[in-house]
Amino acid sequence: MYHELNSARAFGIALLAVLVAACAPFAQVAPAPSAVPVPTALDTPVDLPAVADQPAPQVLARGLKHRLYGEYDQAAGDFHALANTYPDAAEARPARFYLAESFALRGRWASTADAMRALLADGVQDAWAGRALFWLARSHEEAGAHAEAVAAYQAYRDLNTPLAIYATMRMAAQQRALDDPAATESYAAVAASDIARGERAGSHEKAIALLRQEQPARALELYTGLLDFVERDAYRARVLAEAAVLAREQGAADQARIWERELVQEYPASAEGLGAVAMLLADQAGELGLSDAAEVYEAHQQFAAALPLLDQAIAASSGEDALDLRRRRALAIRAGGDLAGAQAELDAVALAAPDAEAGRQAALDAIQTRGQNDQTQAAIEGYRAFSERTPDDSRAPEALDRAAQLLDRLGDSEGAMQQRLDLGRRFPSSTQAQAALELAGWHFYRNARPAEARAAWELLAEATDGATAARATFWAGRVAGEAGDQAARQSLLAQAAALAPDAYYGVRAAELLGSLPESSQPLDINTSTEEWQAADAWLASWSTPVTATSAIDLALARALELAYLGLHADALAEWNEARALAAGDAVALLTIARRASEAGVPYIGIKAAEDVLALAPLDAPPAPVALRRLVFPTPYPELVAARAREYNLDPRALYALLRQESLFNPNATSWVGARGLGQVMPETGAGIAAGLGIENFTSDELYKPAVSVRFGAHYIGYQLQAMNGSLQGALSAYNGGPGNAQRWAGGTTIADAELFVETIDYPETEQYVKLVYGYYGAYRGLYSGR
């Protein structure tokens, strides 16, 4: 992982610093959350002779598997036994490192420090020593020994590894805790580095906060550097506003105006955009366009402030610009309640330029105003007339969709559905048509008009592709079968299966036809050299490398090394930095996906492999099996298979669920607090633990794969039994709650799986059930369930 250790002298200096720091007493600390939170636990007694007849590599591999599963006591037992039984084996040194790490993973930081010091005291110059030094620094952090942490991080920096900049970043936080002015330069060094953008951005802001009072000019330079790469709208708007304030304070008014104009033009609906308007309007040199200023006030529904600006802009404009400003002014007075005045002005603008952009939008606004003024039938006719007169306009489908909605408002459901059919026939490729045809199909089906339902769904299938087309084709086939046309049913179901083989209706169609592929390959299969070569050939058939790899390689090296240090969030950020650097380069992205899979980071393997598929042209050959295994991986195969057997589950269904829940990121936490691979809520986890007789359960245990997989399997297995074997029902209960699942089913038995799924009135749960079932089909085609 290292470029290389500088020299024996550099390592000796670093080691001396560590051993000097070791002379100070190490403060005992309470267990604290880490990147992989775990509860404090007692050591598992180790029977050393038990491993004497097992090869050292086998014992190390077993310990690493326990570590992977989050079974830290068992892992520690294996590592301790190995180190004592085979002290001279090549595996003894990594075993000692992992044993020391296990103390940290169990919240025992004083023991971590002692064990890492012992490893360093050997004087061996290797990667394990560097990692031990970083962990020792982290141990000092946890103890609140800031000066000792600074010394250890500085010693690590002197090793010149790819993670030296991360040591600098963590050292800066310790320096700041000591009120050491050196923290500023440390944060500035991280800000100037090439590590993951999120870390750089955070270091920019910390350095700015420290510099703002004493060295505001440097703080302003850092703002400029930060704005060179931040993109996320809400964050960029905040940084722009803060930078503009500082720029004005420092007399850099021209730069402040540039940033304020960006806020007005790019983020008019933001609070920062509103503040920037006020600053620019009060600035004689603001040079803010009146139209831009008015747009900000319109976005914030401050029409009284917008109107005088619009009036001034209209007086200074001509042609179509003036017409559009008049249109906007009409909308402003409409918002103020003057419907009649707005109507007259909008009609006038539409009449003045019927084929110009401003005129056409004014015509639509005028029709909408009639609808708001209780002239519903007139608005319906207006929308129809607009679509007839301007069929080439992208707003024509929207006009017909609005007409259908107004017919619904009048209670004319039949007229609304016929309007939607007309929309679907005339503008089949529009998003409005697709939604309209779906509504029409269901309306006719539920009202026992199968021929019209089939026609609507077939129109929808012709206009779409993928999962949407598969769904429409499936239901057209079902209607055909219910009408007695079995040949059409068979043909349409076959089409549905081919259109989206990994989507819900593609899988269900194949199941009904008895044609769903069932693989005989084991869950733990390794992709062969020939299969990787086939993937490379598939890529070469349509793609060529376009990215310089040095920056990607450095990001990957950092990601891999950060995992040894327990800094999993930072590692994930570097993996994603590599993906960002490789954007658009399918060859580089496949390399990242493969490296992530081999490193045991399936989350990134999935994301990078999906990036590759998104770049593939529509006429590319089917994705090769090596790529599909990256998209649908099987991590923790022994663990998943064992728990699936225990709870009478198909392990492939359990994999499909875990993939959707967390993308196999064991540290995943949702916005509502669900945790781990199975995204189990803490209160649900506590209930499961009580039911299983597990004592002293803490919610952080859900981050341990062994716990999360067990609890997830237990819960979905229970729901599967409760819903009488229906996987769709069990999945809806897992995501939407058992009570809702029974409400949608009208009990605990699901007689018609497809109608049940379409009855789910929580869009998130409906989508969840369809996605997981589709993934289940994909897993069945790639792996055996035995």
Side-chain angles (χ1 to χ4, degrees):
M1 302 305 160
Y2 293 100
H3 291 157
E4 67 178 80
L5 299 179
N6 278 343
S7 64
R9 181 174 180 276
F11 189 84
I13 292 171
L15 182 57
L16 179 61
V18 172
L19 294 178
V20 168
C23 295
F26 189 90
Q28 293 288 338
V29 295
S34 66
V36 185
V38 296
T40 302
L42 297 175
D43 284 333
T44 299
V46 178
D47 182 6
L48 296 182
V51 300
D53 59 347
Q54 300 173 27
Q58 179 179 327
V59 180
L60 181 63
R62 188 176 63 216
L64 289 174
K65 182 175 289 186
H66 285 308
R67 174 180 178 268
L68 176 67
Y69 290 174
E71 299 167 339
Y72 301 122
D73 281 341
Q74 297 94 318
D78 283 326
F79 297 140
H80 185 258
L82 192 160
N84 283 274
T85 306
Y86 302 105
D88 298 322
E91 293 78 13
R93 190 160 174 79
R96 290 176 62 197
F97 170 82
Y98 287 122
L99 176 60
E101 177 206 47
S102 77
F103 292 121
L105 296 177
R106 290 174 289 170
R108 297 172 55 188
W109 288 96
S111 297
T112 303
D114 291 341
M116 293 297 179
R117 281 198 196 98
L119 193 64
L120 287 164
D122 290 349
V124 179
Q125 305 171 32
D126 62 3
W128 299 110
R131 293 162 187 157
L133 183 52
F134 203 109
W135 272 106
L136 179 58
R138 288 193 63 193
S139 300
H140 287 310
E141 278 190 59
E142 294 293 335
H146 306 301
E148 290 82 357
V150 168
Y153 280 128
Q154 181 59 59
Y156 182 88
R157 290 177 64 197
D158 293 341
L159 300 180
N160 194 32
T161 79
L163 297 191
I165 196 66
Y166 277 92
T168 303
M169 182 173 68
R170 297 184 76 92
M171 182 176 73
Q174 300 305 299
Q175 290 168 328
R176 192 171 185 180
L178 292 167
D179 292 325
D180 184 346
T184 301
E185 297 308 320
S186 296
Y187 280 128
V190 179
S193 73
D194 59 355
I195 63 172
R197 274 167 277 194
E199 301 295 0
R200 271 188 285 150
S203 292
H204 270 89
E205 295 216 60
K206 291 182 176 75
I208 288 167
L210 292 170
L211 288 166
R212 205 180 190 287
Q213 297 301 320
E214 301 298 328
Q215 300 182 56
R218 280 195 67 195
L220 197 57
E221 290 176 6
L222 284 167
Y223 268 128
T224 301
L226 179 56
L227 288 166
D228 282 343
F229 67 90
V230 296
E231 298 175 349
R232 190 162 47 88
D233 287 354
Y235 182 49
R236 184 172 181 83
R238 177 175 68 77
V239 173
L240 282 166
E242 292 174 358
V245 169
L246 181 58
R248 286 193 178 273
E249 290 175 359
Q250 294 304 300
D254 286 344
Q255 180 60 71
R257 293 177 192 120
I258 290 170
W259 286 332
E260 287 162 354
R261 289 189 200 107
E262 181 181 344
L263 280 168
V264 168
Q265 293 163 2
E266 300 298 328
Y267 310 107
S270 69
E272 293 84 0
L274 189 61
V277 162
M279 293 300 297
L280 288 167
L281 288 177
D283 184 344
Q284 291 184 348
E287 297 180 3
L288 177 61
L290 295 167
S291 175
D292 289 339
E295 184 179 355
V296 173
Y297 288 123
E298 292 169 86
H300 290 269
Q301 298 187 15
Q302 296 184 15
F303 299 109
L307 279 169
L309 294 169
L310 289 168
D311 287 336
Q312 294 176 59
I314 290 168
S317 302
S318 61
E320 189 170 347
D321 287 343
L323 288 173
D324 193 57
L325 287 164
R326 288 172 59 191
R327 179 190 69 80
R328 287 168 55 190
R329 186 185 187 283
L331 295 180
I333 66 172
R334 184 179 77 178
D338 185 1
L339 296 180
Q343 184 74 67
E345 182 67 349
L346 290 168
D347 284 338
V349 172
L351 184 61
D355 294 321
E357 170 65 21
R360 288 188 175 185
Q361 186 59 53
L364 278 175
D365 292 335
I367 296 166
Q368 184 183 50
T369 304
R370 286 187 172 85
Q372 292 176 349
N373 203 23
D374 294 328
Q375 301 175 39
T376 307
Q377 192 60 47
I380 291 169
E381 296 305 322
Y383 283 131
R384 287 170 172 167
F386 180 91
S387 71
E388 290 287 347
R389 186 173 66 80
T390 60
D392 59 328
D393 195 301
S394 61
R395 289 162 292 202
E398 177 63 25
L400 290 183
D401 188 53
R402 290 185 183 183
Q405 293 178 48
L406 289 176
L407 286 163
D408 281 329
R409 187 190 301 176
L410 291 175
D412 185 1
S413 59
E414 180 63 23
M417 292 305 157
Q418 294 302 327
Q419 186 69 75
R420 291 186 171 101
L421 283 176
D422 181 53
L423 167 56
R425 294 188 186 102
R426 291 177 57 194
F427 304 102
S429 62
S430 68
T431 56
Q432 294 90 347
Q434 292 166 22
L437 287 171
E438 185 172 312
L439 283 172
W442 282 109
H443 171 82
F444 294 132
Y445 184 76
R446 286 170 174 147
N447 284 278
R449 295 160 68 177
E452 291 164 284
R454 178 177 171 182
W457 279 322
E458 288 182 337
L459 272 175
L460 178 58
E462 290 170 10
T464 57
D465 54 22
T468 301
R471 181 189 187 197
T473 304
F474 179 96
W475 280 99
R478 172 160 167 160
V479 170
E482 290 172 352
D485 189 346
Q486 295 304 315
R489 172 186 180 275
Q490 295 290 105
S491 174
L492 289 165
L493 289 181
Q495 291 175 45
L499 282 164
D502 297 338
Y504 178 80
Y505 280 108
V507 172
R508 286 295 294 135
E511 285 180 333
L512 292 174
L513 292 172
S515 63
L516 185 72
E518 289 278 353
S519 175
S520 60
Q521 300 293 344
L523 294 173
D524 60 354
I525 185 173
N526 291 316
T527 299
S528 68
T529 300
E530 293 75 18
E531 288 168 334
W532 285 121
Q533 290 172 343
D536 291 337
W538 177 79
L539 269 187
S541 71
W542 58 269
S543 177
T544 54
V546 295
T547 305
T549 60
S550 58
I552 297 173
D553 289 342
L554 182 56
L556 294 181
R558 285 173 175 155
L560 292 167
E561 190 64 17
L562 283 161
Y564 284 104
L565 307 180
L567 301 177
H568 299 290
D570 291 330
L572 209 58
E574 289 290 351
W575 281 111
N576 281 318
E577 184 73 9
R579 284 178 58 216
L581 291 167
D585 186 339
V587 175
L589 286 165
L590 180 59
T591 299
I592 292 168
R594 185 173 177 182
R595 292 281 298 278
S597 177
E598 292 167 350
V601 190
Y603 171 87
I604 294 295
I606 291 170
K607 301 297 288 185
E610 289 180 336
D611 292 340
V612 173
L613 291 176
L615 294 172
L618 293 176
D619 59 353
V625 68
L627 185 58
R628 286 184 55 76
R629 286 188 191 134
L630 289 171
V631 175
F632 298 103
T634 53
Y636 319 104
E638 293 180 9
L639 176 62
V640 171
R643 292 307 182 191
R645 285 193 300 272
E646 181 179 357
Y647 293 106
N648 297 314
L649 299 168
D650 185 331
R652 300 166 300 181
L654 184 54
Y655 268 120
L657 180 147
L658 296 174
R659 186 192 188 282
Q660 174 59 24
E661 289 291 347
S662 64
L663 286 180
F664 303 111
N665 177 6
N667 301 309
T669 304
S670 76
W671 67 275
V672 295
R675 302 180 178 199
L677 292 171
Q679 288 293 278
V680 176
M681 291 293 291
E683 55 270 28
T684 303
I688 294 172
L692 293 173
I694 298 173
E695 297 180 354
N696 302 317
F697 170 80
T698 66
S699 57
D700 281 349
E701 289 187 74
L702 294 170
Y703 292 114
K704 299 164 71 172
V707 174
S708 195
V709 170
R710 182 185 185 188
F711 283 23
H714 173 89
Y715 193 63
I716 189 65
Y718 178 83
Q719 300 305 334
L720 188 65
Q721 185 177 29
M723 297 304 291
N724 288 306
S726 167
L727 182 56
Q728 291 93 329
L731 291 171
S732 71
Y734 194 99
N735 179 264
N740 284 317
Q742 293 180 28
R743 174 172 64 85
W744 296 319
T748 58
T749 299
I750 295 173
D752 188 318
E754 277 59 69
L755 279 179
F756 167 78
V757 170
E758 297 297 342
T759 300
I760 296 173
D761 55 12
Y762 287 3
E764 177 190 331
T765 300
E766 178 192 356
Q767 184 73 352
Y768 177 87
V769 172
K770 290 178 178 178
L771 285 172
V772 175
Y773 204 95
Y775 298 159
Y776 177 41
Y779 274 103
R780 289 158 73 183
L782 289 169
Y783 310 98
S784 167
R786 295 186 296 277

